[in-house]
Amino acid sequence: MKHYMLSLVFLIGFSCLGQKTSNDFWNNVRFGGGIGLGFTNESFNASISPSAIYQVNDQFATGASLNFNYAKFNEDKLFAYGGSILSLYNPIPNIQLSGELEQLRINRTYALDGGNREDNYWSPALFLGIGYSNQNVTFGLRYDVLYDDDKSIYANALMPFVRVYF
């Protein structure tokens, strides 16, 4: 799976480089990402996901993102890190369709009576989404077609998103 993802990223990158000069390339790169914080009486959650996309044309963009997430619920802890590749397509100016393949390494520690239990594994996700775009911001919904209730760090397969790129 990792080999396919890396091959796809390199293939897209080299095809884009071959079409433009290096100055034009950097003029079409946009940066963005997301930041999240959550607090309750017994829990804390923080996440950051910087990303960059290459605007191929007015309708299509492709890019990559890094993902980091830390959560603590009572004495249970979770640390997730990984990356994703994404494609964005605007069939009309204000509607954005998206596809994102995410791969996260999950490290969980469960506090149990008499000791802790650790669980470490890879968790893939394939998000298909639709959103409303207005200049640099997109609001929408995405659905994880690979969602696994036992392994995913997300509450369910359908989730809202906000994308911002500058």
Side-chain angles (χ1 to χ4, degrees):
M1 180 71 143
K2 284 193 249 180
H3 297 301
Y4 292 119
M5 286 176 47
L6 285 174
S7 298
L8 182 61
V9 169
F10 285 123
L11 182 65
I12 290 170
F14 285 126
S15 68
C16 292
L17 283 173
Q19 295 175 3
K20 304 272 185 178
T21 65
S22 70
N23 240 2
D24 288 341
F25 176 83
W26 289 109
N27 289 335
N28 292 321
V29 174
R30 298 181 357 191
F31 297 96
I35 297 174
L37 280 175
F39 299 94
T40 66
N41 291 341
E42 300 292 326
S43 69
F44 169 77
N45 184 319
S47 65
I48 186 166
S49 58
S51 64
I53 59 170
Y54 177 79
Q55 194 70 46
V56 176
N57 57 40
D58 289 339
Q59 292 181 301
F60 183 73
T62 186
S65 178
L66 296 175
N67 303 306
F68 304 95
N69 191 319
Y70 174 79
K72 186 173 189 293
F73 306 96
N74 296 318
E75 298 303 314
D76 299 341
K77 295 178 185 174
L78 173 135
F79 180 63
Y81 58 93
S84 63
I85 55 174
L86 64 138
S87 295
L88 309 173
Y89 177 67
N90 293 77
I92 60 175
N94 294 108
I95 300 298
Q96 185 179 86
L97 304 175
S98 62
E100 181 177 2
L101 180 62
E102 177 183 79
Q103 183 73 24
L104 295 178
R105 179 66 178 178
I106 311 296
N107 299 318
R108 287 185 177 174
T109 303
Y110 302 97
L112 303 171
D113 290 335
N116 290 337
R117 177 177 171 243
E118 291 187 16
D119 196 9
N120 301 308
Y121 56 91
W122 287 99
S123 178
L126 177 59
F127 296 104
L128 302 178
I130 186 166
Y132 173 78
S133 292
N134 190 0
Q135 296 180 340
N136 297 341
V137 180
T138 303
F139 299 91
L141 285 173
R142 65 184 191 167
Y143 182 79
D144 181 3
V145 298
L146 302 177
Y147 183 78
D148 181 344
D149 196 34
D150 295 326
K151 299 288 185 177
S152 178
I153 66 168
Y154 304 111
N156 60 49
L158 186 64
M159 64 191 83
F161 69 84
V162 177
R163 265 191 211 110
V164 180
Y165 285 101
F166 302 98

